[in-house]
Amino acid sequence: MRYKAIIFDFDGTICNTGKGIMKSAAYALREYGYPVPENLNDLSYFIGPPLLITFQEQYNADPVQAENLVKKFRERYSEKGIYESELYNGIKALLHNLKADGFKLAIASSKPQQYIEKLLKHFNISKYFDTVTGVSFEADCEPKSDIIMRCLKKLDTEPDAVLMTGDKHYDIDGARMNHIDSMGVLWGFGTRFEFIEAGATFIAEKPGDIEAAALGFFEQTEETCGIFSGRIITVHEDTVMLTDGSHTKRELVDHNGGVAVVPLTDNGSVIMVRQFRSPYKEIMYEIPAGKLEKAEDPYLAGMRELEEECGVTADTVFELGKVYPTPGYCNEIIHIYGAVNLKASKQHLDDGEFLDVSEIPLEEAFNKCMNGEFKDAKTVIGIMKIREMKNNGSLS
């Protein structure tokens, strides 16, 4: 199903506020003589729930002492800790895309409203939200379910058309109590087990998963059955749950990815390799390329492949983007680079690797892409991109 509105938790979901919160908690504890762990991450339980409750539950502080600790916390946080925060990677793009898709967006957080609004303005993302629901300094122990309820009233959207997203079980519990679907996010301070135990409808591994769920496209993997594990690929069959609750099977291939380079000579020719490709049983022209080892740096791999296959190095290298060559069944990502100011080196091919090296004028290579003579996807994309850069003046 497609939702109409998305409610976000704030800390640990939109913004990584952990550093400032934990430092400010340590500041308050230290001021009142409580033990402070050497590793500040041991104070991560301060992120999410109301401070007043955390000081009482974790340190057995009585209500009056807990209130004093909260005041001391805010003394540091309001001036310094609040700015020890950063947006999670991909969040700004996610918010932009969701608004472009036509969704209502909201925040329901146990964080004081004043802090939320200050950070939204600081990161220039206030414009994306239709409503923001936080707590006041005087009443900051409100249950998450009540905060979500207030937010729902402001949104004026039916509960079954709303998706709550958050990084802790409080968010999932609050969504369930308001009869709305929920999505636990793994980049914050919660765990997969926590979300499963709390009954999250979906679990997101990256921000883009939220948009996929909102649109009704998301597929959540529930079971994986290995089929084959080789030197280059792993094949498995997954059982996935669709957003309407139904299940289906996906046959998938895992691949470490690859790298490719478009080497452009001073006289405007592309250095290419010609080799036999077994899957197609034919000779193909390609830009130099190779497979990545697990966790290998694509740039370094690209420079290695350029020298090994073509016998050249490059003084100037730049990114041309990433390509998903077969998204229907394989997670391979190919990183493409452009290379100019080339220098002759020494070719050293791998055992069992046989190929010819050719220089083809850029415009001729482009025409071969257009007429279908060059069929390899990374080659076609790389040549077209570098030709466009050459023509628009961004590559002198």
Side-chain angles (χ1 to χ4, degrees), residues 43-56:
L43 297 176
S44 61
Y45 44 72
F46 278 98
I47 303 164
L51 291 170
L52 198 64
I53 292 175
T54 304
F55 281 121
Q56 292 180 70

Side-chain angles (χ1 to χ4, degrees), residues 3 13 16 35 37 86 88 95 113 133 167 198 203 248 265 270 287-288 349 368:
Y3 296 93
T13 303
N16 185 355
E86 59 184 4
Y88 286 104
L95 297 174
Q113 181 101 8
T133 306
D167 73 309
I203 299 176
T248 191
T265 65
V270 180
I287 54 177
L349 301 176
K368 289 179 183 292

Side-chain angles (χ1 to χ4, degrees), residues 1 3-5 7 148-149 152-153 155-164 175-182:
M1 66 166 289
Y3 296 93
K4 294 181 179 178
I7 300 177
I148 294 172
M149 184 186 298
L152 280 170
K153 289 179 179 178
L155 278 174
D156 192 28
T157 304
E158 290 300 314
D160 62 1
V162 178
L163 179 67
M164 174 72 203
R176 186 181 63 254
M177 294 173 71
N178 282 281
H179 309 290
I180 64 177
D181 288 346
S182 60

Side-chain angles (χ1 to χ4, degrees), residues 211-238:
E211 183 183 16
L215 291 166
F217 299 159
F218 188 62
E219 298 183 3
Q220 180 159 294
T221 302
E222 302 212 326
E223 185 179 358
T224 296
C225 179
I227 297 174
F228 170 78
S229 182
R231 185 174 58 87
I232 299 173
I233 63 170
T234 299
V235 183
H236 51 97
E237 182 183 68
D238 290 359

Side-chain angles (χ1 to χ4, degrees), residues 65-137:
Q65 182 74 328
E67 184 64 42
N68 290 333
L69 285 162
V70 170
K71 288 178 180 177
K72 187 58 66 172
F73 171 96
R74 289 176 180 158
E75 182 180 289
R76 182 189 185 278
Y77 188 78
S78 60
E79 297 297 324
K80 189 173 183 180
I82 189 171
Y83 297 113
E84 295 170 327
S85 306
E86 59 184 4
L87 291 180
Y88 286 104
N89 288 336
I91 287 295
K92 187 170 280 191
L94 168 68
L95 297 174
H96 174 83
N97 292 342
L98 288 171
K99 290 308 291 184
D101 291 331
F103 293 102
K104 291 182 179 180
L105 302 184
I107 289 174
S109 171
S110 297
K111 196 179 193 70
Q113 181 101 8
Q114 181 178 319
Y115 289 157
I116 299 172
E117 292 176 350
K118 186 177 288 189
L119 282 171
L120 291 177
K121 185 177 180 181
H122 176 69
F123 291 115
N124 193 29
I125 57 173
S126 301
K127 58 188 176 184
Y128 296 118
F129 293 98
D130 298 278
T131 185
V132 176
T133 306
V135 299
S136 67
F137 289 128

Side-chain angles (χ1 to χ4, degrees), residues 134-151:
V135 299
S136 67
F137 289 128
E138 294 75 27
D140 63 352
C141 290
E142 186 178 7
K144 191 60 179 275
S145 57
D146 289 358
I147 300 171
I148 294 172
M149 184 186 298
R150 289 195 289 115
C151 186

